[in-house]
Amino acid sequence: MSRHPTARVVPGTVPVRLWSARVTFLLRPRLLLVAVLALLGCGVLIGVSLCVGAYPVSVPEVAEALFHGTGDRLAVHFVTQERLPQALVAALAGAALGISGAIFQSMTRNPLASPDVIGFNSGAATGAIVVIVVVGGGAGQVAVGAVGGGLGAAAVVLALARRGGFQGSRLVLIGIGVTAVLGSVNSYLLTRSELNTAQNAHIWLIGSLHGRSWAEFGTLALALLVLLPVVATLGRRLRSLELGDDLAGGLGLPVAGTRLALTALGVALCAVAVASAGPIPFIALAAPQIAARLARGTGVSLAAAGLVGATLLTGAHLVANQLFAVLAWCGERAAWLSFVDPGQRHVQLPVGVLTALLGGPLSGLAAASKVTPMATLMGRGW
Amino acid sequence: MRVARPAAGRARPARRGSALSRAAGLGVALAVLGCLVVASTWIGARETTPVEVLRALWSDDGSYATSVIRDLRLPRTLTGLLVGAALGAAGTLTQALTRNPLADPGLLGVNAGASAAVVIAIGVVGVSGYGGYVWFAFAGAALTAVVVYALGASGRGGLTPVRLVLAGAAIGAALSGVIAAITVLDAATFDYLRFWMVGSLAGRRPELVAELAPFVLVGLVLALALTRSLNGVALGDDTARSLGVHLGRTRVLGLLTVTLLCGAATAAAGPIGFVGLVVPLVARQLTGPDLRWSLPYAMVLAPCLLLAADIAGRLVLPQGELEVGAMTAIIGAPIFVAMVRGRKEMAL
């Protein structure tokens, strides 16, 4: 109804025409800026996490170890065999979680939707605990158990919610039910095992990157290499779904099939992240929101959400590793700051502790500023 | 802008059956609860007969069977009764306060506050014994409720049910981080806590009942006293105000009551899920939305579920028992899923 034809240009975008308008698209400069900054931030955080730790390595030494594989043997070991794979797993897992969260949030038009809503995380936890507690398996088997459990739980929830299409609220409610049962199973299994075993399972459940190696990185990278092209092709359809089912159907989109495919994709992305790093909370929830707020656009951008997720998890991993060292350092300089026994300076928290501590309030507050539709879908255990 | 109100003045909730039939239903539920109380004191690892149970309840003859019943099963049963009633009432109140049938006290972060305080009590302060926890659980639940309320009320728009839920979820999530941090760093606390976190009624001391009862009873009375105002709240803020309901006061009192009930229940039995979520929904289906009926129903049906789950937990395993927290989820979840699937359109 606009009287000005120029008003058709979407605010915050720049129309780009290349090769005499053979290639045209709308460039969102702010979105591009956010993506570039997130990528830079992630790189810097990875760089810092290569240097700091119980065995500090200087920047030139890190460069030498990385590019030539020479120098102090301990430095080479720490940089190339421990810190780098862990930081890279953090970045990739964070990206997978961010994209997965963006898919779910966009598809349900609900900023609080995440894979946990459909019982994926609790299923993954059950799978992992069963492997750790009952089978006594190693890291690889735990990952397989987690993915199996997560997919199983998601499949049960989807099957139960199937009638009448994947109506958002029904899906969430059934997810809550299944999550509650699995949560009890998890607690029960933890009480029926040796303390050491239970503790291993507990740390896995919080989400931790310690002990991740190039093997985990390889699996994760391979999985993402397969999944990301699918994300790129299906991602466009998300935009249409955001218009609402009726309108999207009217535009010729097979709504039910698209929803199922996108759900499967979101679950798969979450699965590869959980398999490599455990069910780390809040990255999937916060990353798309942060990306959307920084980009100030409408809707969620999958690429930006993935990059922000990578930055968030890399940063959280760095902080979780160094928190006690920093606290001990502060305590040595000011007595009133000595919360931490100097002997505990090398304690490395599982990264999930930190994302839960920070991510909960942050994403809650962020969501609170823009609340209308989400109350309907609020569930437990998000 | 003035909006004409309907001539009827007060919108009456849809009624299900007459008051007589609802009272009869409540009577049946109470009778079932009575049977479950007897069954709970009767069924256990040591064989006893119902006659022994009844005799033991009346008098202490000093026999082993009597001491098992009086010192182990009766406290356990009464704890279940109180915890169940508290959870049922707290769940109903939370759903009414937030106008969200999905809400339960866990959602407002109150359970997490109580749990985190208990974890701090065990892990940092070194408290042991339920008498010590109760106060920590209260303090934690109350503090969380205050913070959640303040957070929900701050900023533009003021306090709305949605903001309350969001604030609760955010705080609850942060507290789960606190719990994770303490349990990761301290193996002894984790070892203790993993048993507490399942939610169990086993091994409760007789004195616990006396410690728990005042809090729960006060909470239940407060809850019943709030039903009229909460019925108004259910009609929406504007209608409630025009009916003369003090929204702020009702919300504060409601939150206080939820805190009292949840803090007491969580301290006594650990975080038991699902009862506070599923029982109010069932009660509402039976009575309709009038809280003057659905709240008493929930207060009777919730201990029924809890005691039934506790008894079932003693029977399902060939050896030992399944904790009541695990059983409530296993019993409650299918009911919940069936209800969700049964409804055509989820009215949220």
Side-chain angles (χ1 to χ4, degrees), chain A residues 160 163 167 169-170 173 180-181 184 188 190-193 198-199 202 206 282 371 374-376 378-380 382, chain B residues 102 104 107 162 166 169 173 183-184 187 190 194 198 274 321-323 329 333 336 340-341 344-346 348:
Chain A
L160 283 172
R163 212 173 52 178
Q167 199 192 342
S169 50
R170 192 191 297 273
L173 289 172
V181 178
S184 300
Y188 172 75
L190 284 186
T191 62
R192 294 299 188 275
S193 51
Q199 247 182 327
H202 181 56
I206 294 170
F282 290 109
V371 285
M374 93 190 47
T376 55
M378 275 301 299
R380 290 158 24 113
W382 62 283
Chain B
L102 266 186
D104 76 344
L107 203 57
V162 178
L166 284 173
T183 48
V184 161
F190 171 68
R194 63 188 172 132
V198 206
F274 243 70
E321 54 181 67
L322 196 55
E323 281 79 2
F336 181 72
V340 171
R341 279 169 64 86
K344 270 214 182 85
E345 188 67 34
M346 292 307 302
L348 286 172

Side-chain angles (χ1 to χ4, degrees), chain A residues 8-72:
Chain A
R8 280 168 60 200
V9 173
V10 186
T13 64
V14 178
V16 180
R17 293 190 176 82
L18 297 174
W19 294 295
S20 38
R22 244 168 285 173
V23 177
T24 60
F25 57 92
L26 290 178
L27 181 70
R28 290 169 63 185
R30 257 196 97 91
L31 190 64
L32 194 65
L33 185 70
V34 168
V36 170
L37 284 181
L39 201 60
L40 274 179
C42 189
V44 169
L45 286 168
I46 291 177
V48 173
S49 63
L50 292 182
C51 300
V52 296
Y55 189 85
V57 184
S58 71
V59 177
E61 277 182 311
V62 167
E64 198 191 339
L66 277 186
F67 298 119
H68 305 293
T70 54
D72 178 13

